Amino acid sequence: MLRRVFRPVRAPFGSRALSQSTAAAVRSVVKSPLFSDKAVQQAVDEFAALNFDKSYETHFATGQIAAHVSGYLNAKAVRTSAATPLDYASETPTGAFYLTGKGTDPHDLAKRIDAYVSRNKPKDGKSGVSVRSYAPSVDSPTAVTLTTIDFHAFRNASGGSSLTDLCTQQFLDTRSPEAQKRYGDLLERLGKSVHQVYDIQSAADGSTMLTIALQPDRDVYFTVLTALISNIPNVTITKRFLETFANDAQVYTVYTRGTTVQELERAALIINQLPNRPTNVVSKLHADGKLTANEVVFGYSAIMFAYYFTPPTTSDDFREL
């Protein structure tokens, strides 16, 4: 049975992305013969000024942040003009991160995430997928959204019933007690449900957070969720997370501004009604943001009706449909 939980929570917005000590440590790590010390200093300062919420520094080690800053330096260096969005991608078999600038289509980024996870996620069921995507809280020509993808071994690959049985050690080390409780409650509810379950909370800064847990019938749902939420008028997505668990459950969290509880609830409820056919033309139009979820459901139903209830495919009636 689906239900929503709506309550205000404290949100860690409004702090700099990097503390002074971390920024200094990153400057000492980022070394390149291609960039001067002044350019590195400027890049670190600009990156810190993107003002990701404080969970960014909690989650990533100094070496990882230094790699992000290096990517930011490279993205700026290869940009052909000030009007060209910043773009940088680092992909290996064990992880990836992307920097995408203002003007980048969010649907394109979501499809890159889906494609990478589908290609590279461990097939032995012993490791989980962790995706974190942060939008900047500043509006400038050099502002970027940072998205990272990592794989971590489950604490107990054979699964279990509790959160600590199902998650990775990295999840326990980087998630707050409040977040762990929210995830644990959702996983418990999911175990008793035949559909997805969700939680909606209003944060103190005015943003609204949707957390949805489901047993998947596809590799990853970033494209679907991005399309669903991006179709809400005047929405801004500030953060997106994905965690997978040893029982195959996937849990997505999306922080938004400009949305209502009812709008996010509709997105959570309709997700399992969408066709799981990524190559289908209707699904592609939805992934590109050209069709709403309601239009997809209606269009797919009409196609299936035409397929099953019209005369044989050689008839003029079928071709006309």
Side-chain angles (χ1 to χ4, degrees), residues 87-240:
D87 186 84
Y88 182 83
S90 172
E91 295 184 343
T92 71
T94 57
F97 75 87
Y98 306 95
L99 298 170
T100 50
K102 183 179 180 181
T104 302
D105 188 336
H107 301 92
D108 289 342
L109 174 60
K111 286 186 281 189
R112 289 167 80 175
I113 297 170
D114 281 12
Y116 176 84
V117 173
S118 295
R119 290 194 312 267
N120 294 281
K121 74 172 185 176
K123 307 301 182 185
D124 59 7
K126 296 181 179 180
S127 298
V129 181
S130 177
V131 180
R132 303 178 73 85
S133 185
Y134 297 93
S137 59
V138 297
D139 185 11
S140 73
T142 56
V144 293
T145 294
L146 169 70
T147 303
T148 67
I149 306 172
D150 298 294
F151 307 116
H152 302 277
F154 290 125
R155 288 164 50 86
N156 181 3
S158 59
S161 58
S162 69
L163 177 67
T164 54
D165 287 333
L166 298 170
C167 70
T168 66
Q169 186 61 47
Q170 176 264 358
F171 176 90
L172 292 180
D173 291 343
T174 59
R175 295 300 178 118
S176 68
E178 294 80 10
Q180 291 182 33
K181 183 179 186 307
R182 186 173 75 252
Y183 277 73
D185 290 346
L186 282 168
L187 290 174
E188 182 178 353
R189 288 168 50 200
L190 183 64
K192 302 173 183 177
S193 175
V194 296
H195 297 296
Q196 74 275 25
V197 296
Y198 61 91
D199 175 85
I200 299 174
Q201 298 183 8
S202 178
D205 67 339
S207 64
T208 306
M209 174 181 64
L210 166 67
T211 307
I212 181 168
L214 45 80
Q215 289 289 353
D217 60 1
R218 63 183 77 197
D219 287 333
V220 67
Y221 285 79
F222 256 103
T223 298
V224 172
L225 267 177
T226 298
L228 282 171
I229 295 175
S230 295
N231 278 323
I232 298 173
N234 304 314
V235 67
T236 299
I237 298 174
T238 59
K239 293 191 297 183
R240 293 176 294 176

Side-chain angles (χ1 to χ4, degrees), residues 29-83:
V29 172
V30 180
K31 300 291 184 182
S32 171
L34 300 177
F35 302 105
S36 66
D37 290 343
K38 182 178 179 180
V40 171
Q41 171 75 51
Q42 181 179 349
V44 173
D45 290 344
E46 290 178 356
F47 197 82
L50 294 175
N51 205 25
F52 300 138
D53 73 88
K54 67 180 182 182
S55 70
Y56 171 73
E57 189 173 346
T58 301
H59 185 81
F60 296 104
T62 300
Q64 293 171 300
I65 296 174
H68 301 161
V69 173
S70 295
Y72 178 73
L73 265 170
N74 282 281
K76 290 179 61 179
V78 301
R79 188 169 59 163
T80 55
S81 73

